[in-house]
Amino acid sequence: MNRRKFIAMGTGGVALVGVGAAGGVWLLCPDPADLFSTADMHVDEIARSMSGVAGAGRAWLEANPNASAGKLVLDALDLDAGQEISRGGLTESLAERVESEFANDHIFIHEDWWLAETEARLAALHVTLLGADASESSAPRFEDAPEAELVSLQRYNPGSVEQGEPLSHPGLPENVIWFATAAAPPPRFRVHIDGTSLTINARSSGFSVQVPDALRYRLFESPGSHEIWLYDPVVDRRQRLGELRVVEAASERDGFCEVAAWGPQQTQAGATFNEQPDGASAFWIRIECFPESTVVTLDGTEIDTTLRPADGLITTHILDHSLYREPGQYPVALKDARTGESIEVGKFVVTP
Amino acid sequence: MIEDIRTSLDNGSTAEFDLAIVGAGPAGITLARELGGRGYRIALLEAGGMEPPDDDARKLYDADVVGLPYPIQASRQRFFGGTSNHWGGWCRPQDDVDFETREWMPLTGWPLERGQLEEYYHRAHEILAIDSRDYEAARHTEQSALLPADEASGFRNAAFRFSPPLRFKDAFGAELEASNDISVFLHASVVEIDHDGGRITRVGIRTLDGHQTSIRAGRYVLAAGGLEVPRLLLHTARDGAPALGNASGFVGRCFMEHFGYTPGHIMARAGLKYHRHQDRNGHSIMPAVAPRPDLMHRERLNNCCLLLTATEPDAAWPPGALATPGLARRLGKAAWRYRVQMINEPTPNPESRVLLSDQRDALGMRRLVLDWRIMDRDLESVEATVRYLVRWLGGSGLGRVQFSRPISPETTERFTGGMHHMGTTRMSADSGEGVVDTNCRVHGTENLYVASSAVFSAAGYSNPTLTIVALSLRLADHLGALKA
Ligand SMILES: Cc1cc2nc3c(=O)[nH]c(=O)nc-3n(C[C@H](O)[C@H](O)[C@H](O)COP(=O)(O)OP(=O)(O)OC[C@H]3O[C@@H](n4cnc5c(N)ncnc54)[C@H](O)[C@@H]3O)c2cc1C
């Protein structure tokens, strides 16, 4: 007696799986491939399980208004509705039939997809069986994509642009953002900035995108930060890469924006803080906008200042450690050397 | 030595050399470098300077496009290094089948066998700094990342390799500058070829500021690119006598381009890697699906390849639909949708051609007219190939095809070319069927040769530069032996 038949007769669709002679435990679990049922029930079940086929199914029904899709599928498989067959046997016949239809150009074309006639009939059966609950499909949308790590990002440049100016960074063409990654990304990835999807130019050490003028001008309308995302449209996953900051044009700025953050905010008397390679101490101050002639003062003394307007950053370089030799609280301020205007950044605490 | 002809040769003067090469692109530079040190004193005549041409010089490349639309200005560069200043570096030798006479594709068949180029291909890879000579994708990319294109499928996995891309100007400029045998003359546009009884006696050179000189040499090689070579030859027609090499009427005819076409998409197993990537040895590779020779023979198809790029799924028939049991048993775990781009081989077509207009450029040469055409049978072959793809993928449980753009007159208007100019001085054993012989010598001449994709008898789908360099190396061997 063949095994399938035995299972069908003996267990009515439940397969015995076990280790027999070794004396292990016998489990009772259904093996779908071995489930015996009538052919029409299997076909219905397969049709119901289909995903995203409502459109194709409806198209077939429109083209064949008087046909019974289920019956035609059974006919194509040479099966009677009530005929007993295992699920595996039916799936195999279906595969053979579909493949032979391709070989014989027995095709149904839906939205340019060349489908086997039988698979289109199955889709139609799906629609007939499920009606309004038939499985629709929609194209994936970046906005709805779950987050995942698509690349291991090391850095990107530039991270900001001044209103009205091109994006620029040493070694890069204008309006190009370069992303350094651990490995080459597949070229199908896209970068999304402010609703615009950009193709990437993949290289072995990362990728770049060209920011089109239309997007740049739109970004200029609203200074601030715009998220940069990487999107894989094929697997519908996205990764936040960082942001592109649009800073107000120098000519538009009058005075200082609010200080966003700064540090270090304390040290021990005479101890170097945020030590630089040459032994200097250094403050960093994050601020969106500031005059070109800004200097940092510590307790009223002007200190060596580096301005990085594109990054919204001011740094200092203090070699004179006597400025914080005595414990106390000393005001750190930003001063416009041209106008004398100044804003306080905070109090720098020097502990004993 | 690299010199500006306007300052190195007096106006009206004639200089004598053993060999004059017209054009310093990949073909001309390769030939000059190979023959340097082999007893030849060589003049390498380059129309442009060391930098991209200005507007006036660029206009010399203006042409009338009367057939399919063609971006003729963007398709070549007129300065030292030629179009290698611009090229993308995709490389692949021609296939064996490209050399065969395929009776269903009239005028195909090189009078050479592919094997006769083997050693030259080998060296051409070195010159172009291509890091691998192995074009069997299956040996280099994981099996699971390629379609299982077995013999029964009718398809196979081919591959492209890549030159960095080598810029001939940067790579060999200093070497030519230091050479004693080779004199590179810049701004030296050859505008006429004098001949007497099949022997070339002189080439005339003109510059945009009116400076005129001549070069006399024992032998001459035209290496000015696939459009300018026929243009120069067509200018030699005089007093009702045909142009040099044109007893057959083939000069300028059979202009071939690898036409690109995007028929649609396929759905197949997830994670296929047909984009450019590093192979197991760290070498750049880009696999492509191509029909097998037996399928081409059986179904009378042109050669072509299909490039696949993963792209977003389509709601009309999403990947989930294909996961239905029994619909695609060899699909694997999941399906992705891929855009298909085809690079196609055209049939040599005498009606696809370049000719001369009655208008003249600023150097007095007649402007070029390009009448690019693709034969109906080529379009049928493309369509048939897509249908075989439908059969293969569907018929072996591997996937489906979305054939969105069946070929119509509108689609042909939007065909793009690869900027590959082939066939305009085709190679033939018989002088009645082509322009150059198997040594690239112009039929009916004693001392005039061509180094260019103009000599291709058939185009295959492989980008031409690797074969151009290989043919130049072969020509160098031939000329070297003649000198010896
Ligand atoms: C955008 C682009 C991308 C490409 N990508 C690829 C690729 O990826 N792979 C590939 O294989 N091929 C590619 N090509 C094609 C490739 O560039 C050419 O096959 C190759 O450059 C041809 O070499 P050549 O020496 O025959 O001609 P050219 O490179 O065109 O050189 C001809 C030289 O002759 C000079 N000349 C012309 N007329 C005269 C005259 N009358 N007198 C004196 N000198 C003259 C020109 O100034 C020029 O320097 C590409 C082409 C373009 C435009």
Side-chain angles (χ1 to χ4, degrees), chain B residues 19-260:
Chain B
L19 177 69
I21 301 172
V22 181
I29 290 178
T30 301
L31 189 64
R33 290 182 64 236
E34 274 301 295
L35 283 172
R38 292 218 225 170
Y40 273 105
R41 281 183 318 109
I42 301 167
L44 180 53
L45 305 169
E46 168 51 45
M50 288 305 258
E51 298 302 326
D54 60 18
D55 281 351
D56 287 341
R58 217 189 323 269
K59 283 199 186 107
L60 298 170
Y61 266 177
D62 277 348
D64 303 326
V65 175
V66 299
L68 290 171
Y70 196 81
I72 201 147
Q73 269 294 358
S75 73
R76 55 210 181 126
Q77 291 283 309
R78 194 178 173 101
F79 67 108
F80 182 74
T83 315
S84 80
N85 288 301
H86 215 76
W87 76 314
W90 292 39
C91 290
R92 179 179 167 79
Q94 306 285 107
D95 292 335
D96 287 345
V97 72
D98 301 334
F99 283 77
E100 288 173 13
T101 300
R102 288 162 280 170
E103 87 283 357
W104 64 95
M105 290 176 76
L107 292 171
T108 50
W110 287 65
L112 293 180
E113 280 178 20
R114 163 73 163 71
Q116 289 174 266
L117 281 187
E118 202 55 49
E119 65 168 292
Y120 301 106
Y121 269 137
H122 196 120
R123 284 165 56 207
H125 279 84
E126 286 165 14
I127 292 175
L128 292 171
I130 306 164
D131 48 17
S132 171
R133 279 184 285 113
D134 193 338
Y135 291 84
E136 285 299 322
R139 279 203 286 264
H140 296 274
T141 298
E142 316 86 270
Q143 292 288 308
S144 61
L146 296 172
L147 288 165
D150 54 18
E151 269 181 42
S153 73
F155 289 87
R156 69 201 173 101
N157 284 304
F160 290 89
R161 295 288 186 176
F162 295 88
S163 165
L166 192 88
R167 309 277 176 230
F168 276 65
K169 178 178 114 171
D170 303 332
F172 304 122
E175 178 187 323
L176 292 175
E177 171 74 52
S179 167
N180 292 326
D181 315 328
I182 305 167
S183 300
V184 180
F185 293 104
L186 301 176
H187 303 287
S189 293
V190 169
V191 294
E192 57 193 349
I193 303 173
D194 285 354
H195 54 103
D196 184 12
R199 204 175 161 72
I200 314 309
T201 51
R202 152 195 176 271
V203 291
I205 295 162
R206 224 169 275 162
T207 71
L208 275 172
D209 33 23
H211 189 269
Q212 294 193 29
T213 44
S214 301
I215 299 284
R216 285 187 193 283
R219 297 192 173 91
Y220 301 80
V221 179
L222 303 181
L227 296 177
E228 294 304 302
V229 168
R231 186 181 180 197
L232 281 164
L233 282 180
L234 287 170
H235 270 85
T236 60
R238 217 154 286 144
D239 308 327
L244 290 170
N246 207 19
S248 61
F250 271 109
V251 174
R253 291 192 182 266
C254 298
F255 170 78
M256 297 182 286
E257 244 295 10
H258 294 129
F259 61 102

